[in-house]
Amino acid sequence: MFDYNLKRFILSTIALSLGSITVLILSSLLVANLDDWKANVVSRGGLDLITITPVTLDKSRGLLPEDLKALSAIPNLTICPVTNAGDYNTILSHGNNTRAGLIEGVNTQYPAMKNYEMGRGRMFTVLDIAAAKKVVVIGTEYLSLFPGEDPIGRYITVKGIQLEVIGVLAHYEYMRAGHNVIWDKNWVAFTPYTTAQMYFPNNQNKIHSIVIQATKDLDLAVQQITNTLYLCHNMRDFKVDAKITLVREFIATQHKYKMALYLMSGVTMLIGGLVLVNMLLAGLAEQLTTLCTLKALGAPPIYFLQSYLLEAFHIACVSTLISILSSFFMLRLLSSVLDSTVTLQMQSIEIAFLFTLFTALFSSLFPAILAIRTPPTQQQIGKASC
């Protein structure tokens, strides 16, 4: 205030720093979770994908090539039929090496829709699809079938059908807590959907799902797709799943995280604010004589208000600096324990500073008002007049 008490200043700074550290760490973890979610969504094709799957009902006919033709009349859609040549338990083999995994029959547009890129070799073409060529593009999880070999030009066997490997997809990795959270993106193989329909058992002209990418209004696309399929089927024996529902679920979850963050930060800041009020009141009691003397000399009320607010501002700045340094090392330690990266974000630092500054300034108002309202004694007025 009028002259700083170092002990009081340090205790007030520590109290506010604890609250600021809480804000920084919790908000950084929230941002890290958001980054994880974004990485998962982007790695799987973003938020503009729509998946249509059949629903088993009496007299349902499933998804047929006629549905593709009807859907192709809807503008601003990229359409891909998917015919599974096997699920995640299907055995892929090369020589004596075997591996269970997923193999999907798709068209040439599917990899781009799902954000896949080629690592080496090539993707099959429209001509390969038209001729139902027995070719396959594999993910990096299947390289274990070819120890010490170049897989390009080699063959894998799936359900007795030999497929020539013509390409290998790029490897995808996003580590969190020592685990690749998008590992299953590498555990996939693609073959032309016509090949899956022609050569694999029980797949004759069968479409297991249709994946659609909407280039414009997603909600409108979902409505148009639903109406078109209903006209074709005369029943709702299909399910239209848009990732927009995933967005809404995530927003709701993120809102809960933010509420928890604000609640915990508010509680810690309240405790820090109460400590600061007590420290300032203690300082007021210690310097009561000085305060009354200044009043007797004619110091205006704004002087006392400015003094308390200035001290609060200094405490907020020092507290934020201490909390940034402490949070940096704590997050480094946390990252090493989790084997992942959690970093301080500028947005988190801004939020922490605003929380701390508001708490400090608000806490200083009561002591400032009390100082302004404390009248000097007649004795002090007399000494000042002398």
Side-chain angles (χ1 to χ4, degrees):
M1 193 175 62
F2 314 109
D3 54 4
Y4 281 144
N5 181 296
L6 184 60
K7 180 180 178 181
R8 187 178 73 247
F9 186 85
I10 292 174
L11 289 175
S12 302
T13 301
I14 292 174
L16 284 183
S17 296
L18 293 176
S20 185
I21 289 172
T22 304
V23 175
L24 282 170
I25 292 180
L26 289 179
S27 58
S28 296
L29 290 174
L30 177 63
V31 171
N33 287 332
L34 176 61
D35 289 341
D36 285 353
W37 182 83
K38 286 181 178 177
N40 266 292
V41 171
V42 171
S43 70
R44 286 161 174 78
L47 297 173
D48 55 355
L49 294 185
I50 302 167
T51 303
I52 306 169
T53 51
V55 176
T56 302
L57 298 174
D58 291 339
K59 298 181 180 180
S60 62
R61 63 184 184 87
L63 299 174
L64 296 176
E66 290 81 1
D67 297 327
L68 297 176
K69 185 177 181 180
L71 291 172
S72 64
I74 302 175
N76 304 315
L77 298 183
T78 302
I79 302 171
C80 174
V82 179
T83 299
N84 296 329
D87 56 21
Y88 279 110
N89 295 317
T90 301
I91 300 300
L92 288 71
S93 64
H94 172 73
N96 295 324
N97 300 316
T98 60
R99 183 69 194 267
L102 174 68
I103 180 167
E104 295 179 307
V106 298
N107 64 11
T108 57
Q109 296 168 310
Y110 185 79
M113 292 167 64
K114 288 283 191 174
N115 283 338
Y116 281 100
E117 296 179 356
M118 295 302 301
R120 49 185 155 144
R122 69 176 180 87
M123 186 63 187
F124 47 79
T125 65
V126 175
L127 294 177
D128 293 327
I129 293 176
K133 287 285 188 71
K134 295 180 183 179
V135 293
V136 66
V137 175
I138 61 173
T140 54
E141 285 288 324
Y142 301 116
L143 292 179
S144 59
L145 294 173
F146 309 92
E149 297 181 81
D150 183 357
I152 306 298
R154 308 286 181 178
Y155 288 83
I156 61 172
T157 302
V158 183
K159 295 184 177 181
I161 308 298
Q162 281 198 325
L163 302 174
E164 180 187 358
V165 178
I166 60 172
V168 178
L169 297 168
H171 182 72
Y172 296 92
E173 188 174 279
Y174 187 85
M175 302 303 295
R176 178 64 64 192
H179 176 65
N180 183 9
V181 296
I182 56 173
W183 64 272
D184 56 330
K185 193 173 173 69
N186 302 311
W187 195 12
V188 69
F190 300 136
T191 192
Y193 75 93
T194 51
T195 303
Q197 291 175 345
M198 182 175 292
Y199 296 105
F200 288 88
N202 304 318
N203 271 357
Q204 190 68 32
N205 291 325
K206 183 176 288 187
I207 299 174
H208 293 110
S209 63
I210 300 174
V211 178
I212 298 175
Q213 188 172 43
T215 57
K216 288 193 176 180
D217 191 332
L218 187 62
D219 287 320
L220 176 61
V222 169
Q223 188 62 45
Q224 291 175 324
I225 290 167
T226 303
N227 293 340
T228 299
L229 289 179
Y230 187 76
L231 288 174
C232 293
H233 292 221
N234 293 318
M235 64 172 64
R236 198 176 289 274
D237 59 345
F238 56 88
K239 179 182 178 183
V240 180
D241 183 26
K243 286 190 176 180
I244 193 68
T245 57
L246 179 63
V247 178
R248 290 168 181 153
E249 290 174 4
F250 174 76
I251 291 174
T253 303
Q254 186 185 32
H255 180 70
K256 292 178 182 177
Y257 269 109
K258 285 184 176 179
M259 289 301 101
L261 166 65
Y262 295 148
L263 179 62
M264 295 182 66
S265 301
V267 170
T268 53
M269 284 298 183
L270 176 63
I271 295 173
L274 291 174
V275 172
L276 178 57
V277 168
N278 286 328
M279 292 296 103
L280 292 177
L281 289 176
L284 176 62
E286 291 173 4
Q287 303 187 58
L288 186 59
T289 302
T290 304
L291 180 147
C292 292
T293 302
L294 289 171
K295 280 196 166 188
L297 291 171
I302 191 66
Y303 169 80
F304 302 101
L305 181 62
Q306 287 177 343
S307 298
Y308 277 100
L309 292 179
L310 183 61
E311 182 173 357
F313 179 76
H314 290 164
I315 291 174
C317 291
V318 175
S319 298
T320 303
L321 180 60
I322 292 174
S323 64
I324 290 172
L325 295 175
S326 302
S327 299
F328 174 78
F329 290 108
M330 291 175 70
L331 289 175
R332 286 282 297 271
L333 178 62
L334 186 63
S335 296
S336 63
V337 171
L338 297 177
D339 192 20
S340 61
T341 303
V342 183
T343 57
L344 277 178
Q345 304 290 326
M346 181 56 65
Q347 182 182 8
S348 302
I349 294 175
E350 292 172 356
I351 293 173
F353 176 69
L354 291 176
F355 259 94
T356 306
L357 182 61
F358 174 78
T359 303
L361 294 178
F362 187 77
S363 301
S364 66
L365 288 178
F366 177 68
I369 293 173
L370 197 60
I372 291 171
R373 291 183 174 181
T374 301
T377 63
Q378 290 297 325
Q379 183 180 4
Q380 290 163 336
I381 294 174
K383 287 182 178 181
S385 62
C386 294

